[in-house]
Structures are given as structure tokens and as C-alpha cells.
Amino acid sequence: MSNYLAKNNAAESGATSKRRRKLWLVSGVAGLTGVVSIAAVGVAAAAGAVGTEGLRWSTAQQVSKDGDLGAAEREGHKGKKGEPERRGEERGKEVPCDSDKLIQAIVYANENHGGVLELARDCTYTLTRSDEHGNGLPVITENVVLKGHDTKIVRDAGARHFRILTVGRGGHLTAKGLTIKNGQTVRSLLRGETAEGAWSRFSNSVEATKAAEASQAYLPLLQAKPKGEALKAAQAKTEATTLVDGGPHAGGGVLVHSGGTATFEESHIVGNQAGGLGGGLANFGRTSLHHTTVADNTAFFYGGGIFNAGVLEVRESRVSNNEAAIGGGGVANGAAFIFGRDIDGGTVTIERAEVTDNEALGFGGGLLDIEGTSAVRHSKIANNTALLAGGGVAAAGDSNFELSHVEIAGNSTVGVGGGLTLALGAIANVEESKIVTNKAGFFGGGVFTVLSEATFRKSEISANRAVGPLGVGGGVFNVLAEIDLDKTRVAHNFATLRPGGVFNFLGEVNVDDKSAITANKPTNCEGSLTPVPRCFG
């Protein structure tokens, strides 16, 4: 696994206190029920913010104010006689450390087939105003390169809410050596959405943990159809229409629209906030991150660090210390709602990366996949938290999940599935990976599966704990799901109640002769209501 940690020239992530920023008021957490109530927290616009009057992104008006972007530049663009016209991306244009000059340069590049913009070294371009759609810089509609040198583009703290960068249909942004900071979109108008309500679409685990705590039968709840499905059906006739590409609430730092593409290299997307989806980045097109840090961002719904509904690649990068109110503290691939239409996940590839120290008040502390396809390879998902389910990873619905050479370690949840949670149709293939030292308050310290399928091949599920007074299945908790253990070891897991290794109820656990379920406490499989083959004690 790569030890890459992007050099944070912004000095923001490194300076951040270890204390988490609490942006929501949390109440109603009784014992270990995992019941969370998020008080509505409005983000008030700063007083005296500069409006959009006077900001006119017209090349005719802006370029005339700055001769070096005028006739001489246009003449150079034409090329010599007999030579083909040169594209803008083949040239570099120095942009002084002035936000208005940056706006002018992007306008000119958009209207002249793109361009390479050399941003000022060690400069902070401070944006104080936006267009009527909440964009701090002109929407990228051509092939534009923003080449920074320890350069920051930030929203002024006193300005009205707006994101920093937007890539429109047909646009391609390449950002190098940049820090994107302090973008903030307006709070979503969706009402009544809660983490518990959304998770109830896929599992009755919250109801089951409440029943267990009240000394009532909880397994019938887990085997029943999730109650949230019925509620969703009842809302079908009146549900709100999904706004195109997440609406004005998506992408606190960066928004990539459908049909747009973006590449970030050696950059930092830090300290941004979205009123809906994607605190740091919301991607509906195609986006790649290389040697890039996404940290200290927040979202009021899904994807504290990154929200994806397109094609996303995260390579040799770090996603850390982000927060989301419903799901996907680090990365959310897709979103589920009760009062609005769902957004199916797209395709996510995470390779040689770290997803660490993220937090969700609902499910999927590190990584969440809903109705999408995700592949994580040679990476680490560690020290993430979620209150309801899936401290490290959660996948739900028709989700296809691949984990290869991945370590899921030290993640936690008050509810179920400290390391990995699979629910209602999710399918996971886990190969040569480790799910270790995770903990849950109730069921499945390492793995929680309900109405789903999983294959573990040449892997290890060990030293996980179901630590609450009613904790069951320290290693694996399986209900109405199918699990294959192929050359896999389930060992040294702990649960308060039997079994500590693998608990199975009306599911199928296939254990090959090269696998072992051993040294778990208080038992390996004894106490499981449905027998687990090749498991003794």
C-alpha cells in the first residue's frame, strides 16, 4: 500500500485540531440504540456580503480592461501563416494575483477554445461574489488548465454562499498545485430527511437494536422487509423532483456536471461545506484525483468529502476528516431519500489511497455505495465512524462492491457492522484483504450482512468486537444472506454474547476446507441459530 500523504501547502489540514468540528446538534441517543436526531441547523448568510451586481463575465467587457488579454493574445492564437491554429491548452498565460484577473482569464479561455492559466505562486485568490447560480468562478466549458504553484482559491468568509469551481457540460478542467478552500453552498430545501429514515429503506437494524435493548425478539425484525420501503412507496406520488446534478446545494468546493470532466493533481480540496451533497466535491460527470487531499469538508446529506453519481477515480490520494449528516462521511456513491427521488451511485475506483477519520451520523462512515459500483484496491479504510451502521464501509441496494488488498481497520459504530455492512441486495467480493480491530455496539463487529451476498477469498476477519451489553457476532453477523469463506480466517473476535466468531440466522455460510473459524470468544459459532459448517466450539 502506498504511504503517500499529499504535501499540504495550504497548511489547513495539518493545523486542524484533533477535536472534530460539530456542525449538528445530536440528541436522542439513549444507551446504545443508535437513534439519532439531527436538529435543523441553518447556515446564515454573512452580513454585508457582496452581491452579484457589477460582476459581468463578458469577454467584451472584461478583456477590454486588460490589454494583455486582448488583441495581442488573439493574434497569437491564430498562429503563423500556413500553420494550424494553436489550441489554448498549448499556451500558458500568467494570471496576476488578483481574483478579477482570474475571472477574466477563465472567461477568455472559455471563449477561445481553452487555455493554460499559470496562476501566481504563493498567491491566495480571494473570491467575494458569485453569479446567480452560486458559482464563484465562471463555469468551465472548454479545456482549461489551472496551474498553481502553492496557490489557493478561496471564498471570502464574509461573502454570500457559493462554490469555488464548476465544470459544465463539454468542459474539462485540469487543476494542478491548487488549494480549493471555504466554498459553501446554501442549505437544501428538502425537509424531514433523517439518517434513520434513509437507512430504514435497507435494513430494520435500528428497530432490531431497540427491540434487543428492550429484551424483545429482534431477529423477526431483521428478516422482515425493511419498513422504510413501504414508507418510500407511500411517498412516491408526492415526492420531490430531483434537481439536475444535485441543484444549487451540491459541491461545496467543486461541482462537475454531467458531460463535464475534471482532473486534480497534487491539489487540496479542504474546508468546504455543501448544503446537500458533496462537501468537498460533487461529481456527476467524470473526475480523477491524483496525489490530492480531500479533508475537513462537510455535507448536510451525503458525501462529506466526495459525492459521486458519475465516474470517479481516486488514486494515491487521501480522503480524511470529513463529515456527513446522513451517509458517506468520506465518500458517498449515490444517495437515498424518503421524501425525494434517489440518486443512484455511479462508478468509483479507489486505488492506493487512504480513507480515514471520517464521520457520518447515519451509515457508511468511510465509504458508502447505494445502487452503484465501487472498487477499492491496495488501500486503507481506517478509523472512520458511523452511528447507525457501517463504521468503515456500507453498501445497500443493488450495489456491487469489490475490495482487493484492502485493510478495513479501527472503524466503529454504535449500531451494526463496525467494519463492513451489506444490506438489501448488495454484493461484495473481498479478496486478499483484512477486516480487523473494528467494533460495533450491537451486531457484527467486523461484518454485518442482511439480505445480501459476499465472498471472502484469502482474507482475514480478526480482532473485531461486538462490545455492547447485547453484542453478538464479533466477527460476522449474518441474516438471510449468503457468505462464502474461501481460504479465509475468522479468528480472535469477541462478542458479549455467543457466538463471538460467526452468527448465522436463516442464512448460508459456506466454509471451504482451507478456511478456519477459530479462537473467538466466548465461542466460535456455538449459539448461532442456524448451523455454520466446519465450525466447532
Side-chain angles (χ1 to χ4, degrees), residues 57-64 66-79 85-93 103-117 138-145 170 172:
W57 289 342
S58 163
T59 301
Q61 293 171 330
Q62 296 286 356
V63 170
S64 64
D66 191 37
D68 63 344
L69 291 176
E73 189 72 35
R74 296 178 188 277
E75 185 66 26
H77 181 71
K78 295 179 180 178
E85 184 174 302
R86 294 182 296 167
R87 290 185 57 82
E89 64 270 24
E90 295 175 351
R91 308 182 324 277
K93 173 63 191 174
I103 290 171
Q104 294 169 20
I106 293 175
V107 168
Y108 182 78
N110 277 335
E111 297 192 356
N112 290 273
H113 310 291
V116 176
L117 306 182
V139 177
I140 304 295
T141 58
E142 289 287 341
N143 193 338
V144 176
V145 178
H172 179 82

Side-chain angles (χ1 to χ4, degrees), residues 95-105 119-120 123-127 129 137:
V95 181
C97 189
D98 182 299
S99 60
D100 286 340
K101 297 293 178 66
L102 176 58
I103 290 171
Q104 294 169 20
L119 305 188
C123 167
T124 297
Y125 293 90
T126 301
L127 307 178
R129 50 192 178 175
L137 290 173

Side-chain angles (χ1 to χ4, degrees), residues 32 218 440-445 465-474 477 494-500 522:
L32 290 173
Y218 64 84
F442 279 91
F443 314 134
R465 298 181 294 158
V467 297
L470 302 170
V472 179
F477 188 97
F494 168 82
T496 306
L497 304 176
R498 300 181 305 163

Side-chain angles (χ1 to χ4, degrees), residues 123-361:
C123 167
T124 297
Y125 293 90
T126 301
L127 307 178
T128 60
R129 50 192 178 175
S130 66
D131 67 5
E132 66 273 22
H133 302 294
N135 301 307
L137 290 173
V139 177
I140 304 295
T141 58
E142 289 287 341
N143 193 338
V144 176
V145 178
L146 298 180
K147 191 173 181 181
H149 306 274
D150 297 343
T151 305
K152 305 179 185 70
I153 306 177
V154 307
R155 169 186 154 273
D156 183 82
R160 295 182 186 277
H161 298 166
F162 57 82
R163 70 179 60 86
I164 306 298
L165 283 168
T166 307
V167 183
R169 178 175 57 85
H172 179 82
L173 167 67
T174 300
K176 301 179 179 180
L178 287 185
T179 292
I180 306 301
K181 178 188 172 188
N182 204 34
Q184 184 176 4
T185 59
V186 296
R187 181 74 185 272
S188 174
L189 298 178
L190 292 174
R191 304 295 184 185
E193 299 288 350
T194 65
E196 184 178 326
W199 179 242
S200 72
R201 295 272 312 282
F202 308 106
S203 173
N204 295 329
S205 67
V206 173
E207 293 75 15
T209 57
K210 290 179 184 177
E213 196 170 46
S215 300
Q216 299 172 353
Y218 64 84
L219 288 172
L221 292 170
L222 288 174
Q223 71 181 97
K225 183 177 181 179
K227 73 177 185 66
E229 285 293 283
L231 177 59
K232 180 66 176 179
Q235 296 291 340
K237 295 181 179 181
T238 59
E239 67 181 8
T241 301
T242 300
L243 295 173
V244 176
D245 290 354
H249 322 290
V254 181
L255 172 63
V256 181
H257 284 287
S258 301
T261 60
T263 300
F264 288 86
E265 300 177 4
E266 298 178 352
S267 293
H268 308 274
I269 302 174
V270 297
N272 302 284
Q273 183 182 94
L277 309 171
L281 162 69
N283 175 54
F284 294 85
R286 188 180 190 102
T287 297
S288 299
L289 306 179
H290 303 277
H291 296 278
T292 289
T293 297
V294 180
D296 305 315
N297 303 286
T298 61
F300 280 97
F301 287 98
Y302 290 89
I306 302 172
F307 177 81
N308 179 65
V311 178
L312 172 71
E313 296 181 354
V314 180
R315 300 183 189 276
E316 296 185 281
S317 295
R318 184 179 66 179
V319 181
S320 65
N321 203 41
N322 303 285
E323 297 176 334
I326 296 184
V331 179
N333 187 30
F337 298 99
I338 294 295
F339 301 102
R341 291 180 182 172
D342 296 347
I343 302 176
D344 290 349
T347 301
V348 171
T349 301
I350 299 175
E351 192 163 1
R352 300 187 185 279
E354 296 182 359
V355 181
T356 60
D357 299 296
N358 302 286
E359 180 178 326
L361 294 188

Side-chain angles (χ1 to χ4, degrees), residues 377-440:
R377 306 183 184 104
H378 299 279
S379 297
K380 185 174 183 178
I381 301 174
N383 303 321
N384 303 285
T385 61
L387 287 185
L388 301 183
V393 176
D398 294 330
S399 169
N400 285 281
F401 219 98
E402 174 195 335
L403 297 168
S404 177
H405 298 87
V406 174
E407 182 176 352
I408 300 177
N411 304 285
S412 62
T413 178
V414 174
V416 301
L420 171 65
T421 290
L422 305 173
L424 197 61
I427 299 175
N429 292 306
V430 182
E431 186 165 354
E432 297 189 63
S433 295
K434 294 182 179 181
I435 301 176
V436 297
T437 66
N438 304 285
K439 63 181 179 181

